[in-house]
Amino acid sequence: IYLPAFEAGVRRADVRSVMASYNYVNGEHANASRTLLLDLLKGEWGFDGFVVSDWGAMKDTLGPALGGLDLEMGSDDKFGSGRLLAAVESGAVPESVVDDKVRRLLGFLEWRGRLQGTTDHTEAPREHPEHRAVVRRAAADGMVLVRNDGTLPLASGASLALVGPGA
């Protein structure tokens, strides 16, 4: 139920960054999933941006490094403190994998105009009640609630009908 929204963001909205989640998907962490990040997102969908971990979501260095994650967010320190460097030096992570991560991050910075030296861009927080109201409404409208009341997983032999344009 979530992939169509991500695919639309990648293929139609031209997003430049995707955050991988804490969740397990088919037995592996989403932020270390070659299937999701390399095969689907970067491969089939042609995503050229970078993938960042959610805060505190990284459990190891090798899985995310080889699985398509480009940037560690937060203080897990799985890519930092020399861990990713050690993995490259030991041969566990090919240099070409790190080259791709760097290319994606530099591509984002170039797109934002941050590689040309000095900038005239200013960034400052703005707090307006009307902005808060719009963001709150957008968040509420964008939420999907899925509850497992014992129906899932479906019993062997059960049937399921998918109806509507999203089916």
Side-chain angles (χ1 to χ4, degrees):
I1 62 173
Y2 298 107
L3 282 179
F6 281 101
E7 183 178 14
V10 169
R11 291 191 181 207
R12 288 182 247 154
D14 195 29
V15 299
R16 302 295 176 134
S17 178
V18 171
M19 179 177 273
S21 72
Y22 292 89
N23 304 47
Y24 279 92
V25 178
N26 296 327
E28 61 184 345
H29 282 107
N31 67 18
S33 173
R34 293 183 63 85
T35 302
L36 289 177
L37 302 182
L38 291 176
D39 299 342
L40 186 65
L41 180 66
K42 294 178 178 180
E44 185 179 326
W45 295 351
F47 179 65
D48 197 37
F50 70 93
V51 181
V52 60
S53 71
D54 202 343
W55 288 75
M58 290 186 61
K59 305 301 178 208
D60 69 290
T61 300
L62 291 181
L66 297 172
L69 191 79
D70 300 307
L71 178 65
E72 177 182 10
M73 183 58 68
S75 59
D76 290 343
D77 217 14
K78 302 299 186 214
F79 278 4
S81 296
R83 291 181 183 188
L84 185 55
L85 176 60
V88 171
E89 289 175 340
S90 74
V93 174
E95 279 188 43
S96 60
V97 168
V98 176
D99 289 345
D100 181 66
K101 295 173 189 326
V102 171
R103 182 191 60 78
R104 290 172 180 279
L105 292 166
L106 289 175
F108 177 80
L109 293 172
E110 181 177 44
W111 171 73
R112 290 296 301 136
R114 300 297 188 181
L115 295 182
Q116 287 78 22
T118 61
T119 179
D120 61 355
H121 298 288
T122 58
E123 296 178 8
R126 294 190 179 118
E127 184 65 35
H128 299 290
E130 60 271 17
H131 293 172
R132 225 176 236 283
V134 169
V135 170
R136 184 177 181 85
R137 186 71 199 153
D141 288 350
M143 288 187 182
V144 175
L145 177 62
V146 177
R147 188 179 90 201
N148 186 1
D149 60 2
T151 304
L152 299 175
L154 295 176
S156 178
S159 63
L160 175 68
L162 301 176
V163 180

